[in-house]
Amino acid sequence: MENQSIRHLQFGRSSRSLRLQTLIWLRWLAVAGQALTVFVVAVVLHFDLPLLEAILLIGALGLVNLTLALRYPPTHRLQPGAALVLLGFDLLQMGGLLFITGGLANPFASLLCVPVIISFASLPLRHSLCLLAFAMSCATLLALTPYPVPWQGNEILIVHPLLLLAFWAAIVSMMAFAAFYAYRVSMEATLLADALAATELVLEREKHLSQLDGLAAAAAHELGTPLATISVVAKEMERELKNDEKFGEDVALLRSQSERCRDILRRLTSLSAESEDHLRRLPLSSLVEEVIAPHRQFEVEIALVEKGERESEPVGARNAAIMYGLGNLIENAVDFARSRVTITVEHNIEVVAITIEDDGTGFAPDVLTHIGEPYMSSRSRQYEQAGGLGLGLFIAKTLLERSGAKLTFTNRATGASGAQIRVVWPRSLMDINSDPAI
């Protein structure tokens, strides 16, 4: 519930609404299909059916569809209640057409499931359940139709009641299964889209923060010229008013403060020029230390184990996605650890690997199978107060995988409690001096 409320605050309810234009196109397809079927049955096959009633029902659907197309713009999105009414009308129209052409014995009776599937794929659950109940009621009434299935000549196709019951059971069960399947797929796609949007927002924020040094240098450059003019004028004024009792001290203060501002801007400019390479190129050890630093202030001990010489470590370009992703994983490890988090860094000519281990309770078996899904529950019910592993972990996993990493989530080996997360990159992706052919 908490994750859902957070998601509503961030993204609202717009993701569970139906665009009217989509429904209009589907209805025109239904009108064309129904008209073609009636034409083939009545004219080509010469089956006897209530042609006038069928034409009136198809015409009613076409008239309503035309009215909607002329009344509303193509971009109009239906509120759930309005969409429910329109889908209910479609269901009623289809039910009426089936009722006068044999009911459940009609081979096209399974089309009753279509409005239900559309509803569960695009509307809130409570509205979709109402439509499902209405569709099941229509299917039950169709089993009681007095109209026979259109057939050749004067023959009447008689369907055994037991077979009719089987048709009803098949259609109702297909409705329920298709509805559940459509709802699950649609909900997972919606959650994934929202989580990816949050991922993009986080990445843009990290990139923005990393570019602030450039903005500071640009500001220093732009402010340098007017401040130099102020400084020159202040010196001239000080020379003229140095002995003035009323303004001499104020002019001296003005000149000293302008000089101070120039010193500050000079340091900003020189800092950007001197540290530009540092900001763009980051050794692996520096990257790990920078990611760990914000989490050392907590009571949990963070131990760093480096397997490999620093002389041969990869030097890569600063990547906001990698730094945020690793930071999130370390933060989760600190939250769930009892007293210690161990971070092991390894590198060779082929791969770069970072392993994060904590001494907490580890991942619950049901969580391990769903790690990386957005809005997943916390690692263990015992540690719900420590925070969830849903959207944050999804964002971290997505960002790291975009950088070329492969993530593995497991519990530590037998005899040691806690979770283990291993992140592995090809060295060529983490070392700007690496030969891609290696």
Side-chain angles (χ1 to χ4, degrees):
M1 288 295 294
E2 182 180 357
N3 287 332
Q4 291 293 341
S5 62
I6 293 174
R7 174 178 169 270
H8 169 60
L9 289 174
Q10 291 176 334
F11 303 104
R13 299 179 182 272
S14 61
S15 58
R16 298 296 293 176
S17 61
L18 183 63
R19 195 164 69 102
L20 179 60
Q21 187 67 21
T22 302
L23 190 58
I24 287 175
W25 281 110
L26 290 174
R27 283 170 141 216
W28 284 128
L29 184 62
V31 169
Q34 292 173 8
L36 179 62
T37 302
V38 169
F39 174 79
V40 171
V41 171
V43 178
V44 178
L45 300 179
H46 303 289
F47 284 8
D48 185 23
L49 80 161
L51 188 59
L52 178 61
E53 291 86 345
I55 293 176
L56 288 176
L57 286 170
I58 297 173
L61 179 60
L63 180 62
V64 171
N65 209 36
L66 182 61
T67 303
L68 290 174
L70 296 176
R71 174 68 176 81
Y72 296 98
T75 57
H76 181 73
R77 300 194 76 88
L78 295 169
Q79 293 296 321
L84 177 63
V85 171
L86 291 180
L87 291 174
F89 174 80
D90 294 345
L91 195 58
L92 191 63
Q93 188 268 349
M94 174 62 69
L97 196 58
L98 290 171
F99 188 82
I100 63 175
T101 55
L104 294 185
N106 190 309
F108 296 98
S110 59
L111 291 176
L112 284 174
C113 300
V114 173
V116 177
I117 294 173
I118 295 174
S119 175
F120 274 88
S122 58
L123 299 183
L125 184 59
R126 63 180 182 276
H127 295 79
S128 300
L129 289 174
C130 292
L131 191 68
L132 177 62
F134 181 59
M136 289 183 174
S137 301
C138 290
T140 303
L141 290 176
L142 289 178
L144 307 176
T145 179
Y147 295 94
V149 178
W151 206 245
Q152 293 178 334
N154 295 324
E155 296 182 32
I156 297 178
L157 182 63
I158 299 176
V159 181
H160 194 279
L162 188 60
L163 185 59
L164 204 60
L165 179 62
F167 289 161
W168 178 87
I171 291 174
V172 168
S173 60
M174 183 169 61
M175 274 185 195
F177 175 78
F180 173 77
Y181 183 81
Y183 178 77
R184 288 292 301 173
V185 171
S186 175
M187 183 58 66
E188 289 180 6
T190 300
L191 291 175
L192 184 62
D194 290 347
L196 287 174
T199 303
E200 295 296 337
L201 290 176
V202 168
L203 186 56
E204 286 301 318
R205 176 179 175 274
E206 292 298 314
K207 289 181 178 179
H208 174 72
L209 292 176
S210 67
Q211 293 169 354
L212 286 180
D213 65 300
L215 294 176
H221 177 74
E222 293 295 329
L223 291 173
T225 300
L227 194 57
T229 303
I230 293 173
S231 180
V232 170
V233 174
K235 287 180 180 179
E236 293 295 331
M237 293 176 64
E238 184 182 24
R239 186 180 300 111
E240 296 293 332
L241 302 172
K242 180 171 58 175
N243 298 321
D244 188 284
E245 295 181 358
K246 186 176 181 180
F247 299 108
E249 186 177 344
D250 292 338
V251 171
L253 179 62
L254 176 62
R255 188 188 65 79
S256 64
Q257 291 303 310
S258 66
E259 291 293 338
R260 183 183 176 191
C261 289
R262 289 186 65 185
D263 290 339
I264 293 173
L265 293 181
R266 192 181 301 113
R267 286 198 298 270
L268 284 175
T269 306
S270 62
L271 176 63
S272 175
E274 293 170 1
S275 61
E276 182 178 1
D277 189 64
H278 167 72
L279 291 173
R280 295 177 182 272
R281 297 164 58 90
L282 199 62
L284 179 62
S285 56
S286 299
L287 182 148
V288 174
E289 285 290 351
E290 189 171 334
V291 172
I292 292 175
H295 308 288
R296 290 193 183 277
Q297 58 186 336
F298 300 102
E299 297 179 357
V300 175
E301 176 190 0
I302 299 180
L304 178 60
V305 179
E306 296 186 60
K307 295 183 178 180
E309 299 295 332
R310 287 200 174 185
E311 291 76 10
S312 61
E313 70 176 341
V315 178
R318 177 179 291 270
N319 189 317
I322 292 178
M323 299 187 71
Y324 181 88
L326 288 176
N328 187 275
L329 296 181
I330 292 173
E331 181 182 0
N332 276 326
V334 170
D335 287 341
F336 288 99
R338 292 191 179 96
S339 60
R340 182 183 176 90
V341 171
T342 303
I343 300 174
T344 305
V345 180
E346 307 170 65
H347 57 84
N348 55 41
I349 62 173
E350 295 180 353
V351 298
V352 175
I354 297 177
T355 305
I356 304 170
E357 298 175 304
D358 64 67
D359 60 353
T361 57
F363 295 111
D366 57 327
V367 170
L368 271 175
T369 59
H370 296 285
I371 282 182
E373 293 182 6
Y375 310 103
M376 187 182 65
S377 59
S378 61
R379 184 189 297 185
S380 172
R381 292 180 182 177
Q382 181 180 357
Y383 288 92
E384 283 183 353
Q385 69 275 13
L389 286 175
L391 183 57
L393 184 57
F394 172 84
I395 292 175
K397 183 173 181 289
T398 301
L399 291 176
L400 290 172
E401 287 178 341
R402 285 184 177 181
S403 72
K406 180 179 180 182
L407 282 75
T408 305
F409 298 85
T410 59
N411 286 321
R412 297 174 68 185
T414 305
S417 64
Q420 181 184 88
I421 303 175
R422 185 171 174 83
V423 188
V424 181
W425 294 267
R427 178 161 181 139
S428 59
L429 297 179
M430 294 292 285
D431 191 350
I432 57 178
N433 297 319
S434 177
D435 184 356
I438 293 179

